[in-house]
Structure formats: structure tokens, C-alpha cells
Amino acid sequence: MKKVLALGGAGFIGSYIVRELLEEGFEITVIDNFSKYGFLKHDFYAHPKCIVKTKDVRALYPMEFRGYDHILCLAALIGGIKYFHKIPYQIARDNTELLSHAIDCTLSASPEATFTYFSSSMIYERMQRPVTEKDALNQPIPITNYGMQKLFGEFLVRGAHQEYGLNYLIVRPFNAVGSGELPDVKSNGHAEFGMAHVIPDFIYKALVKQTPFEIFGDGEQVRTFTHAKDIAEGVKKLLQKNIKNEDFNFCGDSTHKMAELAQKIWARVNPDMRFPGFNHLPEIESDVRFRIGTSEKAKTTLGWQPTYHLNEIIDDTLKFILEHMNIVRPQPEKVRR
């Protein structure tokens, strides 16, 4: 069976992919430095075909890439919209270092392997219509460091293919969601909203019954959400079919405005409480107004279809947050008679 080196494989999307591939009999080595949440104990660590090493990708030697059929490059700094603006230089620097080092080691030690780069739907951040793979090279350039670095990463991968014959795949998840991600809550219990992705943030606000409900801007921003398990299913199909030198968008079918999403999450978490209205915070500079993709290429080439819908996504994320965070939920005030 094929051997896989999963860089960042203990992270959010990576953990779903590792589980999916182990179920299909792949042998996997996971490399992760656990920089986001600290050490995370995943169920697959005890799997007989899985090896886990705690290490920064940039500290790996080329010989540690030897003997693999697939290199999955998931390792990256990633977060919510405020996160992108808080450390723009660090994101661009570190993510480029991680990627270029992984490419160099692959070319040196496993030149026949297929290198899968996990890009982002943020490369399309200035598009105002549903996007296809062809738009990646025919669009206005991104204006956030994160979006620009992810697009530059695609050029690095394609450049290594053109110059050195690197076999590659480019995967663009559209707003990956599901259990495995937490809101950014400090030791004092304060949550810094916008540092994590929007669904865990909104679920946390609903759990603590934030009144009024804080939202950035007018709430008219539009996003497509994709469960990470659906993304993992797509990646599994790519590897099973041995597809090379292509790019794929993986987009779910849950597309919503942010204000609508907030109200749906509130109703799911607090079904007996009326939504408390919004506190509209200043819109973050360079916030993306519209991000919707199409996955016709994945559907046609792989027979892939998203299977998880919004309520399942909310329930899955809610369950994980409740299991991993000590949240004291405010109780409704009793009416004195």
C-alpha cells in the first residue's frame, strides 16, 4: 500500500485526511509542531499504520522525505480574518519557508512522489462571482498577505513542476468546517473574535448568549462552507486515482450571508430563545465580501459530491467545543411573581 508523509497532519483538515486514508490502508507518517492549540491527542495515533513525529517542517532533513509516494503539505499558519491582519508578515514568511523547504526536500529525496499543496479559497478573495479553477490564473490579485502567499505558493509548486518535474496537486478547500476547531479564548476567559474561523466563533457567542450578538460590518458577507470530512473524501479520491499535475476546488453546498448564519447558529444552540439582535462592529480592512466556488471539476473527474449540510456542520462543531472547552452557559433570569 502507498506511503504518505502528512506535513501538518495533526491539524484541523489534516486530521480528517489522515483518518480517511488510514481507513483505506495507506501507511502515514504525520509531522506536526502543534503550534496552534498545543499537543492534540487524536484517535489515530494508536493506529498500527500511523507514525507521529513532533517537529517543525523546516527542521526536517531531506532523507526524512525518502520512500514516500505522496507528500501532503498542510502545514501553515492559518486563522480567521483578524488573524490574517494581526501577523501578515509572519504568515507570508513562515508559510513560504514551510512550502519551499518541503518542495526542496521532496525533489531531493522522493522526486517520483506526488506533492499535494493545500492552498485556499482566499486566493479568490477579490472575485465577485462563483469561481472555477481557471479563475486562479485569470483574476485580480489578492490583497491580503494570506491570500497572496497562498497564490504565490501555487506558483512555487507549478514552477517546481516546470523546472524540475515535480509531480503536484493543488487543493483549494472552501471554508473548511467541522469538529476539531475551537474559538480563540484567552486564559482569562475572553474570546478574541475573528482570530478563529467564523462558525466556531459564532457558536461560542451563542453558547455564552452574547447580547447583542457581535458581527463585523453589515453581515452581508457571503461564504460557502465545506465540512472537512468532505474535503478528506476528495483528497482520498485524488490519491486513489493517482491524479497528477492538476488543481481542484472543493466546495460545499452550504452558502450563507454572515447575518443569516449567525441567526441559524443561535437558533440551533438556543432553540427557545429569541435572537438578541446585532452589534455591528467596524468592518475589518480587506474583509472578503463574496467567496463562493464551484466544484464541477471534482464532480466530473472524481465523482465527488459534498454530503454535509449546515445543520450537521453546526452540530458537529458544537459537540466538539462543548467537549473541549469549559463553558459556563448563562441561565435565563427567573421572573419573580
Side-chain angles (χ1 to χ4, degrees), residues 163-249:
E163 188 172 350
Y164 297 109
L166 177 73
N167 297 313
Y168 75 89
L169 286 167
I170 294 171
V171 172
R172 301 185 195 95
F174 274 68
N175 290 291
V177 290
S179 66
E181 192 173 25
L182 298 170
D184 186 36
V185 179
K186 307 302 181 186
S187 58
N188 62 1
H190 174 72
E192 186 172 357
F193 300 118
M195 293 296 286
H197 288 120
V198 65
I199 287 183
D201 267 5
F202 279 9
I203 288 176
Y204 184 83
K205 293 178 185 184
L207 283 170
V208 299
K209 299 181 173 63
Q210 186 185 68
T211 304
F213 195 101
E214 292 180 352
I215 193 168
F216 292 118
D218 58 10
E220 293 295 301
Q221 307 94 322
V222 180
R223 299 286 186 275
T224 295
F225 298 100
T226 316
H227 199 292
K229 189 166 178 58
D230 282 331
I231 296 167
E233 175 71 18
V235 172
K236 179 188 71 177
K237 289 178 179 291
L238 287 173
L239 272 56
Q240 288 176 328
K241 291 179 178 290
N242 202 32
I243 293 174
K244 299 177 183 178
N245 307 324
E246 295 283 356
D247 60 330
F248 290 88
N249 294 340

Coordinates of all heavy atoms in Angstrom, one line a residue, residues 163-249:
E163 N 10.3 23.4 -13.8 CA 11.8 23.4 -13.8 C 12.4 22.1 -13.5 O 13.4 21.7 -14.1 CB 12.3 24.5 -12.9 CG 13.7 24.8 -12.9 CD 14.2 26.0 -12.1 OE1 13.3 26.7 -11.6 OE2 15.4 26.2 -11.9
Y164 N 11.8 21.4 -12.5 CA 12.4 20.2 -12.0 C 11.5 18.9 -12.2 O 11.9 17.8 -11.7 CB 12.7 20.3 -10.5 CG 13.8 21.4 -10.3 CD1 13.4 22.6 -9.7 CD2 15.1 21.2 -10.7 CE1 14.3 23.6 -9.4 CE2 16.0 22.2 -10.4 CZ 15.6 23.4 -9.8 OH 16.6 24.4 -9.6
G165 N 10.3 19.1 -12.8 CA 9.5 17.9 -13.0 C 8.7 17.4 -11.8 O 8.3 16.3 -11.7
L166 N 8.5 18.3 -10.8 CA 7.7 17.9 -9.6 C 6.3 17.5 -10.0 O 5.6 18.2 -10.7 CB 7.7 19.1 -8.6 CG 6.8 18.8 -7.3 CD1 7.6 17.9 -6.4 CD2 6.5 20.2 -6.6
N167 N 5.9 16.3 -9.5 CA 4.5 15.9 -9.7 C 3.7 16.6 -8.6 O 4.1 16.5 -7.4 CB 4.4 14.4 -9.5 CG 5.2 13.6 -10.6 OD1 5.1 13.9 -11.8 ND2 5.9 12.6 -10.2
Y168 N 2.6 17.2 -8.9 CA 1.9 18.0 -7.9 C 0.4 17.9 -8.1 O -0.1 17.5 -9.1 CB 2.3 19.5 -8.1 CG 1.7 20.2 -9.3 CD1 0.4 20.8 -9.1 CD2 2.3 20.2 -10.5 CE1 -0.2 21.4 -10.2 CE2 1.7 20.9 -11.6 CZ 0.5 21.5 -11.4 OH -0.1 22.1 -12.5
L169 N -0.2 18.2 -7.0 CA -1.7 18.5 -6.9 C -1.9 19.8 -6.1 O -1.1 20.0 -5.2 CB -2.4 17.4 -6.3 CG -2.6 16.1 -7.1 CD1 -3.1 15.0 -6.1 CD2 -3.6 16.3 -8.2
I170 N -2.8 20.6 -6.5 CA -3.2 21.8 -5.7 C -4.6 21.6 -5.3 O -5.5 21.4 -6.1 CB -3.0 23.1 -6.6 CG1 -1.5 23.3 -6.9 CG2 -3.6 24.3 -5.8 CD1 -1.3 24.5 -7.8
V171 N -4.9 21.7 -4.0 CA -6.2 21.5 -3.4 C -6.6 22.8 -2.8 O -5.9 23.4 -2.0 CB -6.2 20.4 -2.4 CG1 -7.5 20.3 -1.6 CG2 -5.9 19.0 -3.0
R172 N -7.8 23.3 -3.1 CA -8.3 24.6 -2.5 C -9.6 24.3 -1.7 O -10.7 24.2 -2.3 CB -8.6 25.6 -3.6 CG -7.4 26.0 -4.4 CD -7.7 27.1 -5.4 NE -6.7 27.2 -6.4 CZ -6.8 26.6 -7.6 NH1 -7.8 25.9 -7.9 NH2 -5.8 26.7 -8.5
P173 N -9.5 24.1 -0.4 CA -10.7 24.0 0.4 C -11.4 25.3 0.5 O -10.8 26.4 0.6 CB -10.2 23.5 1.7 CG -8.7 23.1 1.5 CD -8.3 24.0 0.4
F174 N -12.8 25.3 0.4 CA -13.6 26.5 0.6 C -14.1 26.5 2.0 O -15.1 25.7 2.4 CB -14.7 26.6 -0.4 CG -14.2 27.2 -1.7 CD1 -13.3 26.6 -2.5 CD2 -14.7 28.5 -2.1 CE1 -12.9 27.1 -3.7 CE2 -14.3 29.0 -3.3 CZ -13.3 28.4 -4.1
N175 N -13.5 27.3 2.9 CA -14.0 27.5 4.3 C -14.3 26.1 5.0 O -15.4 25.8 5.2 CB -15.3 28.3 4.3 CG -15.0 29.8 4.0 OD1 -14.3 30.5 4.7 ND2 -15.4 30.2 2.8
A176 N -13.2 25.4 5.2 CA -13.3 24.1 5.9 C -13.9 24.2 7.3 O -13.4 25.1 8.1 CB -12.0 23.4 5.9
V177 N -14.8 23.4 7.7 CA -15.5 23.5 9.0 C -15.7 22.1 9.5 O -15.5 21.1 8.8 CB -16.8 24.3 8.9 CG1 -16.6 25.7 8.6 CG2 -17.7 23.7 7.7
G178 N -16.2 22.0 10.8 CA -16.5 20.7 11.4 C -15.8 20.6 12.7 O -15.2 21.6 13.2
S179 N -15.9 19.5 13.4 CA -15.3 19.3 14.7 C -13.8 19.4 14.6 O -13.3 18.9 13.6 CB -15.8 18.0 15.4 OG -15.3 16.9 14.6
G180 N -13.1 19.9 15.6 CA -11.7 20.0 15.5 C -11.1 21.4 15.6 O -9.9 21.6 15.8
E181 N -12.0 22.4 15.5 CA -11.5 23.8 15.6 C -12.2 24.5 16.8 O -13.4 24.3 17.0 CB -11.8 24.5 14.3 CG -11.1 25.8 14.3 CD -11.2 26.5 12.9 OE1 -12.2 26.2 12.2 OE2 -10.4 27.3 12.6
L182 N -11.5 25.3 17.5 CA -12.0 26.0 18.7 C -11.9 27.5 18.5 O -11.1 28.0 17.8 CB -11.2 25.6 19.9 CG -11.2 24.1 20.3 CD1 -10.2 23.9 21.4 CD2 -12.6 23.7 20.8
P183 N -12.8 28.2 19.2 CA -12.6 29.7 19.2 C -11.4 30.1 19.9 O -10.8 29.3 20.7 CB -13.9 30.2 19.9 CG -14.3 29.0 20.7 CD -13.9 27.8 19.9
D184 N -10.8 31.3 19.7 CA -9.6 31.7 20.3 C -10.0 32.4 21.7 O -10.3 33.6 21.8 CB -8.9 32.7 19.4 CG -7.5 33.1 20.0 OD1 -6.9 32.2 20.6 OD2 -7.1 34.3 19.9
V185 N -9.9 31.6 22.7 CA -10.3 32.0 24.1 C -9.0 32.1 24.9 O -8.3 31.2 25.0 CB -11.3 31.1 24.8 CG1 -11.6 31.6 26.2 CG2 -12.6 31.0 23.9
K186 N -8.8 33.3 25.5 CA -7.6 33.5 26.3 C -7.7 32.9 27.7 O -8.8 32.5 28.1 CB -7.3 35.0 26.5 CG -7.2 35.8 25.1 CD -6.2 35.2 24.2 CE -6.1 35.9 22.9 NZ -5.2 35.3 21.9
S187 N -6.7 32.9 28.5 CA -6.7 32.3 29.8 C -7.6 33.0 30.8 O -8.1 32.3 31.7 CB -5.2 32.3 30.4 OG -4.7 33.6 30.5
N188 N -7.9 34.2 30.5 CA -8.9 35.0 31.3 C -10.3 34.7 30.9 O -11.2 35.4 31.5 CB -8.5 36.5 31.3 CG -8.7 37.1 30.0 OD1 -9.0 36.4 29.0 ND2 -8.4 38.4 29.9
G189 N -10.5 33.9 29.9 CA -11.9 33.6 29.5 C -12.4 34.5 28.4 O -13.5 34.3 27.9
H190 N -11.6 35.5 28.0 CA -12.0 36.4 27.0 C -11.8 35.8 25.6 O -10.7 35.3 25.3 CB -11.3 37.7 27.1 CG -11.6 38.7 26.0 ND1 -12.8 39.3 25.8 CD2 -10.8 39.1 24.9 CE1 -12.8 40.1 24.7 NE2 -11.6 39.9 24.2
A191 N -12.8 35.8 24.7 CA -12.6 35.3 23.4 C -12.3 36.5 22.4 O -13.0 37.5 22.4 CB -13.9 34.6 22.9
E192 N -11.2 36.3 21.7 CA -10.9 37.3 20.7 C -11.5 36.9 19.3 O -10.9 36.1 18.6 CB -9.4 37.5 20.5 CG -9.0 38.7 19.6 CD -7.5 39.0 19.6 OE1 -6.8 38.4 20.4 OE2 -7.1 39.9 18.9
F193 N -12.7 37.5 19.0 CA -13.4 37.0 17.8 C -12.7 37.5 16.6 O -12.1 38.6 16.5 CB -14.8 37.5 17.9 CG -15.6 37.0 19.1 CD1 -16.0 37.9 20.1 CD2 -15.7 35.6 19.3 CE1 -16.7 37.4 21.2 CE2 -16.4 35.1 20.4 CZ -16.9 36.0 21.3
G194 N -12.7 36.6 15.5 CA -12.1 36.9 14.3 C -10.7 36.3 14.2 O -10.1 36.2 13.1
M195 N -10.2 35.7 15.3 CA -8.9 35.0 15.2 C -9.1 33.6 14.7 O -8.2 33.0 14.1 CB -8.3 35.0 16.6 CG -7.8 36.4 17.1 SD -6.6 37.1 16.0 CE -5.1 36.2 16.5
A196 N -10.2 33.0 15.1 CA -10.6 31.7 14.6 C -11.5 31.8 13.4 O -11.9 33.0 13.1 CB -11.2 30.8 15.7
H197 N -12.0 30.7 12.9 CA -13.0 30.9 11.8 C -14.4 31.2 12.3 O -14.7 31.0 13.5 CB -13.0 29.6 10.9 CG -11.7 29.4 10.1 ND1 -10.8 28.4 10.2 CD2 -11.2 30.2 9.2 CE1 -9.8 28.5 9.4 NE2 -10.0 29.6 8.7
V198 N -15.2 31.6 11.4 CA -16.5 32.2 11.8 C -17.4 31.2 12.5 O -18.1 31.6 13.5 CB -17.2 32.9 10.6 CG1 -17.6 31.9 9.6 CG2 -18.4 33.7 11.1
I199 N -17.5 30.0 12.1 CA -18.5 29.1 12.7 C -18.2 28.8 14.2 O -19.1 28.9 15.0 CB -18.8 27.8 11.9 CG1 -19.6 28.2 10.6 CG2 -19.5 26.7 12.7 CD1 -19.9 27.1 9.7
P200 N -17.0 28.4 14.5 CA -16.7 28.2 16.0 C -16.8 29.5 16.8 O -17.3 29.5 17.9 CB -15.3 27.7 16.0 CG -14.7 27.9 14.7 CD -15.8 27.9 13.7
D201 N -16.5 30.7 16.2 CA -16.7 32.0 16.8 C -18.2 32.2 17.1 O -18.6 32.5 18.2 CB -16.2 33.1 16.0 CG -14.7 33.5 16.3 OD1 -14.1 32.8 17.1 OD2 -14.3 34.5 15.7
F202 N -19.0 32.0 16.1 CA -20.5 32.2 16.3 C -21.1 31.3 17.3 O -22.0 31.6 18.0 CB -21.2 32.1 14.9 CG -21.1 33.4 14.1 CD1 -20.2 34.4 14.4 CD2 -21.8 33.5 12.9 CE1 -20.1 35.6 13.7 CE2 -21.7 34.7 12.1 CZ -20.9 35.7 12.5
I203 N -20.6 30.0 17.2 CA -21.2 29.0 18.2 C -20.8 29.4 19.6 O -21.7 29.4 20.5 CB -20.6 27.6 17.9 CG1 -21.3 27.1 16.6 CG2 -20.9 26.7 19.0 CD1 -20.8 25.8 16.1
Y204 N -19.6 29.9 19.8 CA -19.2 30.3 21.2 C -20.0 31.5 21.6 O -20.5 31.6 22.8 CB -17.7 30.7 21.2 CG -17.2 31.1 22.5 CD1 -16.8 30.1 23.4 CD2 -17.1 32.4 23.0 CE1 -16.3 30.5 24.7 CE2 -16.7 32.8 24.2 CZ -16.2 31.8 25.1 OH -15.8 32.1 26.3
K205 N -20.3 32.5 20.8 CA -21.1 33.6 21.1 C -22.5 33.2 21.5 O -23.2 33.7 22.4 CB -21.2 34.6 19.9 CG -19.9 35.3 19.6 CD -20.0 36.2 18.4 CE -18.7 36.8 18.0 NZ -18.8 37.8 16.9
A206 N -23.0 32.2 20.8 CA -24.4 31.7 21.1 C -24.4 30.9 22.4 O -25.3 31.0 23.2 CB -24.9 30.8 19.9
L207 N -23.3 30.2 22.7 CA -23.2 29.4 23.9 C -23.2 30.3 25.1 O -23.8 30.0 26.2 CB -22.0 28.5 23.9 CG -22.0 27.3 23.1 CD1 -20.7 26.6 23.0 CD2 -23.0 26.3 23.7
V208 N -22.5 31.5 25.0 CA -22.4 32.4 26.2 C -23.5 33.4 26.1 O -23.6 34.4 26.9 CB -21.0 33.1 26.2 CG1 -19.9 32.0 26.4 CG2 -20.8 34.0 25.0
K209 N -24.4 33.3 25.1 CA -25.6 34.1 24.9 C -25.2 35.6 24.8 O -25.7 36.5 25.5 CB -26.6 33.9 26.1 CG -27.1 32.5 26.1 CD -28.1 32.3 27.3 CE -28.8 30.9 27.2 NZ -27.9 29.8 27.4
Q210 N -24.2 35.9 24.0 CA -23.8 37.2 23.8 C -24.9 38.1 23.3 O -25.6 37.8 22.4 CB -22.6 37.3 22.8 CG -22.0 38.7 22.6 CD -21.0 38.7 21.5 OE1 -21.3 38.6 20.4 NE2 -19.7 38.8 21.9
T211 N -25.1 39.2 24.1 CA -26.3 40.1 23.8 C -25.8 41.6 23.9 O -25.4 42.0 24.9 CB -27.4 39.9 24.8 OG1 -27.8 38.5 24.7 CG2 -28.6 40.7 24.5
P212 N -26.0 42.3 22.7 CA -26.3 41.8 21.4 C -25.2 41.0 20.8 O -24.1 41.1 21.2 CB -26.6 43.1 20.6 CG -25.8 44.2 21.3 CD -25.7 43.8 22.8
F213 N -25.5 40.4 19.7 CA -24.6 39.5 19.0 C -23.6 40.3 18.1 O -24.1 41.0 17.2 CB -25.4 38.5 18.2 CG -24.6 37.3 17.7 CD1 -24.8 36.0 18.3 CD2 -23.8 37.4 16.6 CE1 -24.1 34.9 17.9 CE2 -23.1 36.2 16.1 CZ -23.3 35.0 16.8
E214 N -22.3 40.2 18.4 CA -21.4 41.0 17.7 C -21.1 40.4 16.3 O -20.9 39.2 16.2 CB -20.1 41.1 18.4 CG -20.2 41.9 19.7 CD -18.9 42.0 20.5 OE1 -17.9 41.3 20.1 OE2 -18.8 42.8 21.5
I215 N -21.0 41.3 15.3 CA -20.8 40.8 13.9 C -20.0 41.9 13.2 O -20.2 43.1 13.5 CB -22.1 40.5 13.2 CG1 -21.8 39.7 11.9 CG2 -22.9 41.8 12.9 CD1 -23.0 39.2 11.2
F216 N -19.0 41.5 12.4 CA -18.2 42.5 11.7 C -19.0 43.1 10.5 O -19.5 42.3 9.7 CB -16.9 41.9 11.2 CG -15.9 41.6 12.3 CD1 -15.5 40.3 12.5 CD2 -15.4 42.6 13.2 CE1 -14.6 40.0 13.6 CE2 -14.6 42.3 14.2 CZ -14.2 41.0 14.4
G217 N -19.1 44.4 10.4 CA -19.7 45.0 9.3 C -21.2 44.8 9.2 O -21.8 44.6 10.3
D218 N -21.8 44.8 8.0 CA -23.2 44.7 7.9 C -23.8 43.3 7.9 O -25.0 43.1 7.8 CB -23.6 45.4 6.6 CG -23.0 44.9 5.3 OD1 -22.3 43.8 5.4 OD2 -23.1 45.5 4.3
G219 N -22.9 42.3 7.9 CA -23.4 40.9 7.9 C -23.8 40.4 6.6 O -24.3 39.3 6.5
E220 N -23.5 41.2 5.5 CA -23.9 40.8 4.2 C -22.8 40.0 3.4 O -23.0 39.5 2.3 CB -24.3 42.0 3.3 CG -25.5 42.7 3.8 CD -26.8 41.8 3.6 OE1 -27.1 41.4 2.5 OE2 -27.4 41.6 4.7
Q221 N -21.7 39.7 4.1 CA -20.6 38.9 3.5 C -21.1 37.5 3.3 O -21.8 36.9 4.1 CB -19.4 38.9 4.4 CG -18.9 40.3 4.9 CD -19.4 40.7 6.2 OE1 -20.6 40.4 6.5 NE2 -18.6 41.3 7.0
V222 N -20.7 36.9 2.1 CA -21.2 35.6 1.7 C -20.1 34.6 1.7 O -19.0 34.9 1.2 CB -21.9 35.7 0.3 CG1 -22.4 34.3 -0.1 CG2 -23.0 36.7 0.3
R223 N -20.3 33.4 2.2 CA -19.3 32.4 2.3 C -20.0 31.0 1.9 O -21.1 30.8 2.2 CB -18.7 32.2 3.7 CG -18.0 33.4 4.2 CD -16.7 33.7 3.5 NE -15.9 34.8 4.1 CZ -16.1 36.0 3.8 NH1 -17.0 36.4 2.9 NH2 -15.4 37.0 4.4
T224 N -19.2 30.1 1.3 CA -19.5 28.7 1.1 C -18.7 27.9 2.1 O -17.5 28.1 2.2 CB -19.2 28.3 -0.3 OG1 -20.0 29.0 -1.2 CG2 -19.4 26.8 -0.4
F225 N -19.4 27.0 2.9 CA -18.8 26.2 3.9 C -18.7 24.8 3.5 O -19.7 24.2 2.9 CB -19.5 26.3 5.2 CG -19.5 27.7 5.8 CD1 -20.6 28.6 5.6 CD2 -18.4 28.2 6.4 CE1 -20.6 29.9 6.1 CE2 -18.4 29.5 6.9 CZ -19.5 30.4 6.7
T226 N -17.6 24.1 3.8 CA -17.3 22.7 3.4 C -16.9 21.9 4.6 O -15.9 22.3 5.2 CB -16.3 22.7 2.3 OG1 -16.5 23.7 1.3 CG2 -16.2 21.3 1.6
H227 N -17.5 20.9 4.9 CA -17.1 20.0 6.0 C -15.8 19.4 5.7 O -15.5 18.9 4.6 CB -18.1 18.9 6.3 CG -18.0 18.4 7.7 ND1 -16.9 17.6 8.1 CD2 -18.8 18.4 8.8 CE1 -17.0 17.2 9.3 NE2 -18.1 17.7 9.8
A228 N -14.9 19.4 6.6 CA -13.5 18.8 6.4 C -13.6 17.4 6.0 O -12.7 16.9 5.3 CB -12.6 19.0 7.7
K229 N -14.6 16.6 6.4 CA -14.7 15.2 6.1 C -15.0 15.1 4.6 O -14.5 14.2 3.9 CB -15.8 14.5 6.9 CG -15.8 13.0 6.7 CD -16.6 12.3 7.7 CE -16.7 10.8 7.5 NZ -15.3 10.2 7.5
D230 N -15.7 16.0 4.0 CA -16.0 16.0 2.6 C -14.7 16.3 1.8 O -14.4 15.7 0.8 CB -17.0 17.1 2.2 CG -18.4 16.6 2.5 OD1 -18.7 15.4 2.4 OD2 -19.3 17.4 2.7
I231 N -13.9 17.3 2.4 CA -12.6 17.6 1.7 C -11.7 16.3 1.8 O -11.0 16.0 0.8 CB -11.9 18.8 2.5 CG1 -12.8 20.0 2.3 CG2 -10.5 19.0 1.9 CD1 -12.4 21.2 3.2
A232 N -11.6 15.6 2.9 CA -10.8 14.4 3.1 C -11.3 13.4 2.1 O -10.4 12.7 1.5 CB -10.9 13.9 4.5
E233 N -12.5 13.2 1.8 CA -13.0 12.3 0.9 C -12.5 12.6 -0.5 O -12.1 11.7 -1.3 CB -14.6 12.3 0.9 CG -15.2 11.4 -0.2 CD -15.1 9.9 0.1 OE1 -14.8 9.6 1.2 OE2 -15.3 9.2 -0.9
G234 N -12.5 13.9 -0.9 CA -12.0 14.3 -2.2 C -10.5 14.1 -2.3 O -10.0 13.6 -3.4
V235 N -9.7 14.3 -1.3 CA -8.3 14.0 -1.3 C -8.0 12.5 -1.5 O -7.1 12.1 -2.2 CB -7.6 14.6 0.0 CG1 -6.1 14.2 0.0 CG2 -7.7 16.1 0.0
K236 N -8.8 11.7 -0.7 CA -8.6 10.3 -0.9 C -8.8 9.9 -2.3 O -8.1 9.0 -2.9 CB -9.6 9.6 0.0 CG -9.6 8.1 -0.1 CD -10.7 7.4 0.7 CE -12.1 7.6 0.0 NZ -13.2 6.9 0.7
K237 N -9.9 10.4 -3.0 CA -10.1 10.0 -4.4 C -9.0 10.5 -5.3 O -8.6 9.8 -6.2 CB -11.4 10.7 -4.8 CG -12.7 10.1 -4.2 CD -13.9 10.8 -4.7 CE -15.2 10.1 -4.1 NZ -15.5 8.8 -4.7
L238 N -8.4 11.6 -5.0 CA -7.3 12.1 -5.8 C -6.1 11.1 -5.7 O -5.5 10.8 -6.8 CB -6.8 13.5 -5.3 CG -7.6 14.7 -5.7 CD1 -7.1 15.9 -4.9 CD2 -7.7 14.9 -7.2
L239 N -5.8 10.6 -4.5 CA -4.7 9.7 -4.3 C -5.0 8.3 -4.9 O -4.1 7.7 -5.5 CB -4.3 9.6 -2.9 CG -3.3 10.7 -2.3 CD1 -3.7 12.1 -2.6 CD2 -3.0 10.4 -0.9
Q240 N -6.2 7.9 -4.7 CA -6.6 6.6 -5.2 C -6.5 6.5 -6.8 O -6.1 5.5 -7.3 CB -8.0 6.2 -4.8 CG -8.0 5.8 -3.3 CD -9.5 5.5 -2.8 OE1 -10.4 6.1 -3.3 NE2 -9.6 4.7 -1.8
K241 N -6.9 7.6 -7.4 CA -6.9 7.7 -8.9 C -5.5 8.1 -9.4 O -5.4 8.1 -10.7 CB -8.0 8.7 -9.3 CG -9.4 8.2 -9.1 CD -10.4 9.2 -9.6 CE -11.8 8.7 -9.4 NZ -12.2 7.6 -10.3
N242 N -4.6 8.4 -8.5 CA -3.2 8.7 -8.9 C -3.2 9.9 -9.9 O -2.4 9.9 -10.9 CB -2.5 7.5 -9.6 CG -1.0 7.7 -9.5 OD1 -0.5 8.2 -8.6 ND2 -0.3 7.1 -10.5
I243 N -4.0 10.9 -9.6 CA -4.1 12.1 -10.5 C -2.9 13.0 -10.2 O -2.5 13.1 -9.0 CB -5.4 12.8 -10.2 CG1 -6.6 11.9 -10.8 CG2 -5.4 14.2 -10.9 CD1 -7.9 12.5 -10.5
K244 N -2.3 13.6 -11.2 CA -1.1 14.4 -11.0 C -1.3 15.7 -11.9 O -2.0 15.7 -12.9 CB 0.1 13.7 -11.5 CG 0.4 12.4 -10.7 CD 1.7 11.7 -11.3 CE 1.9 10.4 -10.6 NZ 3.1 9.7 -11.1
N245 N -0.6 16.7 -11.4 CA -0.4 18.0 -12.1 C -1.7 18.6 -12.5 O -2.0 19.1 -13.6 CB 0.4 17.7 -13.4 CG 1.7 17.0 -13.0 OD1 2.3 17.3 -12.0 ND2 2.2 16.1 -13.9
E246 N -2.6 18.7 -11.5 CA -4.0 19.3 -11.6 C -4.3 20.1 -10.4 O -3.6 19.9 -9.3 CB -5.0 18.2 -11.9 CG -4.9 17.5 -13.1 CD -5.4 18.2 -14.4 OE1 -5.9 19.4 -14.2 OE2 -5.3 17.7 -15.5
D247 N -5.3 21.0 -10.5 CA -5.8 21.7 -9.3 C -7.3 21.5 -9.2 O -8.0 21.3 -10.2 CB -5.4 23.2 -9.4 CG -6.0 23.9 -10.6 OD1 -6.2 23.2 -11.7 OD2 -6.3 25.1 -10.6
F248 N -7.7 21.5 -7.9 CA -9.2 21.2 -7.7 C -9.7 22.1 -6.6 O -9.1 22.3 -5.5 CB -9.3 19.8 -7.2 CG -9.1 18.8 -8.3 CD1 -7.9 18.3 -8.6 CD2 -10.2 18.3 -9.1 CE1 -7.7 17.3 -9.6 CE2 -10.0 17.4 -10.1 CZ -8.7 16.9 -10.4
N249 N -10.9 22.7 -6.8 CA -11.6 23.4 -5.8 C -12.5 22.4 -5.1 O -13.2 21.6 -5.8 CB -12.5 24.5 -6.4 CG -11.7 25.6 -7.0 OD1 -10.5 25.8 -6.7 ND2 -12.3 26.4 -7.8

